[in-house]
Amino acid sequence: MSEIIEARTRLGTGPYDRKLMSRMVELSEADNYEDASEEWIATGNCYWGASEIPDWWEHPHRCLCGHEIVYHFEVQNAINGKMIMVGSDHINTYQIIRE
């Protein structure tokens, strides 16, 4: 059973927010952000420091949007199993519907 939650704030129109939405759609089964956002689940895993970041994440110190980050929050697509990392700004703001 999953809990329905609301994002603290919605993504805006800034370049990092637009890039995050675009990349999420590219990695999702859905073809638009509203539907794609419902596919992603925060796993609860957070990594700090280069030695902790899993090998599957090819962009250490970068959020999916390209912004430099320190804390890497792991998010998984519930439909296709793909994994991404986002920073603290985006884990709090983008539309992760389930956790």
Side-chain angles (χ1 to χ4, degrees), residues 9-97:
T9 61
R10 296 193 61 86
L11 288 171
T13 59
Y16 289 120
D17 288 353
R18 288 192 323 265
K19 183 67 173 180
L20 180 69
M21 289 187 280
S22 172
R23 292 287 293 132
M24 283 180 64
V25 172
E26 288 173 16
L27 296 168
S28 299
E29 299 302 306
D31 62 358
N32 64 77
Y33 174 71
E34 291 303 318
D35 291 338
S37 67
E38 295 185 26
E39 297 180 19
W40 296 92
I41 301 171
T43 67
N45 294 329
C46 178
Y47 306 97
W48 180 85
S51 63
E52 289 188 11
I53 300 167
D55 292 338
W56 59 261
W57 187 241
E58 299 174 1
H59 311 287
H61 309 292
R62 297 277 175 202
C63 176
L64 181 66
C65 73
H67 190 259
E68 190 169 323
I69 59 175
V70 174
Y71 295 99
H72 296 68
F73 293 90
E74 185 179 83
V75 183
Q76 182 173 27
N77 187 294
I79 296 175
N80 61 28
K82 292 181 181 174
M83 304 286 285
I84 61 172
M85 293 281 191
V86 297
S88 55
D89 287 344
H90 282 139
I91 198 72
N92 288 329
T93 58
Y94 89 89
Q95 192 80 18
I96 299 175
I97 302 297

